[in-house]
Amino acid sequence: MAVPLDLNLLKTFVAVVESGSLSNAAPRVGRSQSAVSMQMQRLEDMVGNQLLVRGPRTVTPNAAGEDFLIYARRLLKLSDEAWASVTRPKETGSVRLGVPDDYAAFLLPPVLSRFAEDHPLVTVELVCEQSTALVKTLAEGRLDLAIVTRLPDQPLDVIRLERFVWVASPNHVAWQNDPLPVALFEPGCAARMNVLQALGGADRSYRCTYSSASLLGLVAVVQAGLAVAGLAQRSVPPSLRIIGANEGLPVLPDLEIGILRNPLSTTPAVDRLHDFLRRDLAQQA
């Protein structure tokens, strides 16, 4: 009969793979680097197979390690769910969370991953719309929580500032055109207002060549060299380059991000996600 796998070893294994090194994994699992190394040796001895390729600075899984990683994550998730079913029986149910699609792309993945680890019985239903639409949807009672960008004069408890930057195609010089071709999010969007405010303040002539609520659509237009655009810095894809003062463009104001809550949404699941988002988004680098 096979020896049962030690969940502590699996947790350390996953931390090593996700962080890319023994030293990075150590603080995540609360152990020293040498202890992490010993745990990984013990795990490999237990399964009778090498799972990791150890380099001078990095550690990566080999083919067997990649396969093993799938099962390790599955077992850890089942363990969390089993524990939660006994210790947190009230923290179940579904939370309807609204978020602009550019924030969904760069802010949410690590946050939701950590939330699922702590609250595996809570289901999060995502609704992606621009901030002004999310405010309306929440007021209609079709959302529990919404992550939004603050509009001018909007009462909102700002929990983080996101740097807002100009982007362009690395293969074109659209910023040299006059008037400046600009791709914008649709009317009512805070990002659009910030771009127009900056251009107006700098007395820079421009023309809107594209308007959409879609981040992917905006990126496609900019990547084709048809326009420049303003994006949250963390959402800038590798296919675009950040430009600014050197290209004669005005500084863009930071995006102010906060969380709105439906006052009628009072379940424990909503409480947990609301508190988790406030804490995690404020701390996220």
Side-chain angles (χ1 to χ4, degrees):
M1 180 183 247
V3 178
L5 291 168
D6 185 330
L7 291 179
N8 287 324
L9 298 183
L10 297 185
K11 184 177 181 180
T12 302
F13 172 73
V14 171
V16 169
V17 173
E18 290 181 347
S19 65
S21 73
L22 301 177
S23 58
N24 289 338
R28 289 183 56 173
V29 296
R31 296 179 181 273
S32 66
Q33 181 177 338
S34 61
V36 169
S37 178
M38 291 175 62
Q39 278 194 313
M40 291 304 89
Q41 187 61 57
R42 181 180 163 200
L43 178 62
E44 290 176 327
D45 291 342
M46 181 181 293
V47 300
N49 224 329
Q50 182 177 347
L51 302 173
L52 299 170
V53 178
R54 295 161 174 81
R57 295 178 179 272
T58 60
V59 176
T60 57
N62 57 19
E66 291 283 5
D67 291 338
F68 189 76
L69 179 64
I70 297 172
Y71 294 102
R73 284 174 170 155
R74 189 180 302 171
L75 287 170
L76 290 171
K77 186 173 186 293
L78 285 173
S79 174
D80 289 341
E81 290 175 356
W83 182 262
S85 69
V86 177
T87 61
R88 293 193 295 264
K90 292 183 180 180
E91 292 180 17
T92 61
S94 177
V95 183
R96 300 163 299 174
L97 173 63
V99 60
D101 65 346
D102 52 340
Y103 294 170
F106 73 89
L107 273 181
L108 279 191
V111 177
L112 292 183
S113 176
R114 287 189 287 270
F115 181 77
E117 290 179 2
D118 290 348
H119 308 280
L121 299 182
V122 176
T123 300
V124 179
E125 300 177 14
L126 279 184
V127 176
C128 292
E129 295 177 332
Q130 64 149 295
S131 293
T132 48
L134 290 174
V135 171
K136 180 180 178 182
T137 304
L138 186 121
E140 293 171 348
R142 293 186 285 124
L143 287 176
D144 300 306
L145 302 170
I147 300 172
V148 299
T149 307
R150 193 179 79 87
L151 295 170
D153 302 322
Q154 179 186 15
L156 181 68
D157 182 15
V158 176
I159 60 173
R160 74 177 283 119
L161 296 177
E162 198 65 41
R163 191 177 172 215
F164 195 45
V165 297
W166 292 104
V167 294
S169 165
N171 303 316
H172 302 84
V173 288
W175 64 85
Q176 293 183 356
N177 295 335
D178 190 22
L180 179 72
V182 183
L184 298 167
F185 286 106
E186 64 183 354
C189 175
R192 179 189 180 106
M193 294 180 186
N194 282 6
V195 168
L196 298 183
Q197 176 187 341
L199 291 173
D203 199 24
R204 176 70 186 266
S205 61
Y206 66 91
R207 62 185 180 91
C208 176
T209 60
Y210 180 84
S211 179
S212 172
S214 167
L215 172 65
L216 293 178
L218 214 67
V219 168
V221 169
V222 175
Q223 191 172 333
L226 302 178
V228 298
L231 294 180
Q233 183 172 351
R234 287 166 55 104
S235 70
V236 177
S239 59
L240 301 180
R241 58 173 291 208
I242 295 175
I243 58 175
N246 290 338
E247 290 75 25
L249 297 176
V251 175
L252 293 171
D254 290 339
L255 300 173
E256 299 177 326
I257 301 174
I259 300 174
L260 296 176
R261 177 171 181 168
N262 185 337
L264 300 180
S265 299
T266 58
T267 66
V270 174
D271 290 341
R272 298 298 177 271
L273 182 58
H274 176 263
D275 294 345
F276 195 94
L277 288 172
R278 284 188 59 85
R279 181 180 66 253
D280 218 65
L281 291 179
Q283 294 175 351
Q284 198 175 124

